[in-house]
Amino acid sequence: GGSSVSISGNLGDASILLPQVTGPIRLEANADEDRNRVWTWQTEAAMDGTLLVATGSAVDIYGTPVIAASGKLQADDLSDFAALARRPIAGQLEPDFVGELSTDLSRISAAMTGTAVDLKTGVAEADNLFGGSVAFDIDAAMAGDVISLQGSTLDGPRLRLNADGILTPEAGRFALDGRIADASLLLPGAPAEALDFSAKSHRQGEGWRFQSNASGAGLSMTAQGLAIDPLGEEAAVDGSLRATAADLSILSNLAGRPIAGQLALEATGQVLADLTGFDLSASVDGKGLKTGQAAVDRLLAGDLSARIVADRDGEAVNLSTFDLTTALLTAQASGNLAADGSEMKVDARVADISPFAT
């Protein structure tokens, strides 16, 4: 035979830990050890509005214990746990779960399926997306140097998300796609239209090949390229970006400025993460651009076209091409900037200075 342990009773008033909850914490638990020193256990813990039921096992408890568990949690109001989480969380949560943990953290796995209703995280943008009943299915694991996220989903009336990936010391891949049903939930002022997005990446040598896309609500973006040694001292990105916005005003909150107008951007090249080196070319076309600076906005009024080609190697910045044309301003520049001397040629013409006359 083996040992047995049982606990039954009330553990005191829940308000000691959770100020918003009154009444006792009730606990029923028992564990039994068999002749092979494997423990099996069952537990049920409850308080007003919350119930946890779980069963599991524990092996090698005198060495490196491995604990397995499965069960169900029912939390009628997550705001009961706001003080403990130190965040204004709220909503209902009902997951079924299965998991395993090695106490040396060499092996961890967790799978959860269930629903969350009107979930609040304390982050306004996320809270807008988690409204209503959201079904979730999450399967994550770590075994040694292998980390995986398999077929994980969120599916609600405002947000749909799918994610899948695996990372090993030699290889890796990741894919994500989803839809925001109403872009104005994330970007105030945006049309009440869907915003679709996707991203995928796979390891290539010491780098990661990537591609990402987003479209909807007057926005589009495509980025692709290679992230070179992303965790190293010389991390860099070599790739291209294409983006358009029918109305920049919907990005004002993100920019922290009252921006507006239409914009199309294309850029290609390579840039080091610390910006000590780059080789870039870009083109920008816009209409009715506004930056929140009156003098600048007058210069940018109407149609805008800009082209730039520049590179940097250490302290020296070389501007091969800079061309800017608006209804009022035409400007060209080229040259180089360096700590030990600079040489820059600039030509500019303002077609009408009357908008700037005081």
Side-chain angles (χ1 to χ4, degrees):
S3 303
S4 296
V5 177
S6 294
I7 301 174
S8 178
N10 295 335
L11 301 183
D13 197 290
S15 62
I16 297 174
L17 292 175
L18 306 169
Q20 291 183 246
V21 182
T22 58
I25 300 174
R26 301 174 296 279
L27 177 65
E28 300 284 342
N30 62 78
D32 299 291
E33 183 188 29
D34 65 18
R35 63 184 61 194
N36 296 316
R37 292 190 169 181
V38 175
W39 286 82
T40 57
W41 54 270
Q42 302 85 36
T43 187
E44 179 175 313
M47 64 182 187
D48 187 26
T50 303
L51 173 66
L52 172 66
V53 178
T55 63
S57 64
V59 300
D60 194 20
I61 66 168
Y62 304 107
T64 304
V66 177
I67 302 169
S70 63
K72 182 179 182 65
L73 171 67
Q74 179 180 332
D76 294 338
D77 187 355
L78 288 175
S79 67
D80 290 343
F81 300 89
L84 195 62
R86 297 184 179 181
R87 298 195 62 81
I89 60 174
Q92 301 175 20
L93 185 64
E94 292 190 14
D96 294 315
F97 60 87
V98 177
E100 185 176 79
L101 169 68
S102 174
T103 55
D104 64 359
L105 302 183
S106 63
R107 186 166 78 245
I108 305 172
S109 66
M112 291 193 298
T113 61
T115 58
V117 179
D118 292 332
L119 186 65
K120 301 289 185 183
T121 65
V123 179
E125 294 80 5
D127 294 348
N128 288 340
L129 298 178
F130 290 142
S133 179
V134 179
F136 57 87
D137 187 343
I138 301 171
D139 188 348
M142 181 184 74
D145 294 328
V146 179
I147 301 172
S148 64
L149 180 68
Q150 299 185 22
S152 297
T153 64
L154 296 175
D155 191 357
R158 300 179 181 180
L159 173 67
R160 176 183 58 78
L161 186 67
N162 304 303
D164 189 271
I166 187 169
L167 176 64
T168 74
E170 296 81 24
R173 59 173 175 77
F174 180 77
L176 176 148
D177 68 83
R179 164 174 280 205
I180 297 171
D182 180 349
S184 67
L185 295 171
L186 187 65
L187 302 169
E193 300 172 3
L195 180 64
D196 296 300
F197 56 91
S198 65
K200 59 182 180 180
S201 180
H202 67 271
R203 190 162 182 174
Q204 182 175 308
E206 293 300 316
W208 284 81
R209 179 70 58 183
F210 66 87
Q211 180 176 340
S212 60
N213 300 276
S215 62
L219 301 172
S220 69
M221 184 278 294
T222 299
Q224 58 185 3
L226 180 67
I228 303 167
D229 193 18
L231 300 180
E233 294 183 358
E234 297 185 356
V237 174
D238 187 349
S240 64
L241 170 67
R242 178 178 295 177
T244 64
D247 181 4
L248 285 173
S249 68
I250 68 176
L251 302 177
S252 293
N253 281 3
L254 290 178
R257 306 188 60 80
I259 60 176
Q262 300 175 19
L263 183 72
L265 166 69
E266 292 190 25
T268 61
Q270 184 177 102
V271 58
L272 294 177
D274 62 4
L275 301 182
T276 57
F278 57 77
D279 187 352
L280 299 172
S281 62
S283 64
V284 178
D285 293 288
K287 184 174 183 178
L289 295 178
K290 293 185 180 297
T291 65
Q293 296 288 334
V296 174
D297 293 347
R298 285 193 288 270
L299 285 174
L300 299 182
D303 294 336
L304 174 147
S305 177
R307 305 289 182 268
I308 183 170
V309 179
D311 62 84
R312 177 179 183 177
D313 184 8
E315 296 298 322
V317 177
N318 178 53
L319 181 64
S320 300
T321 303
F322 176 81
D323 289 313
L324 173 65
T325 303
T326 71
L328 280 180
L329 175 66
T330 301
Q332 295 86 35
S334 62
N336 59 77
L337 300 170
D340 57 356
S342 301
E343 182 178 349
M344 188 69 65
K345 180 182 178 181
V346 179
D347 293 311
R349 180 176 182 273
V350 178
D352 181 2
I353 64 171
S354 61
F356 304 95
T358 56

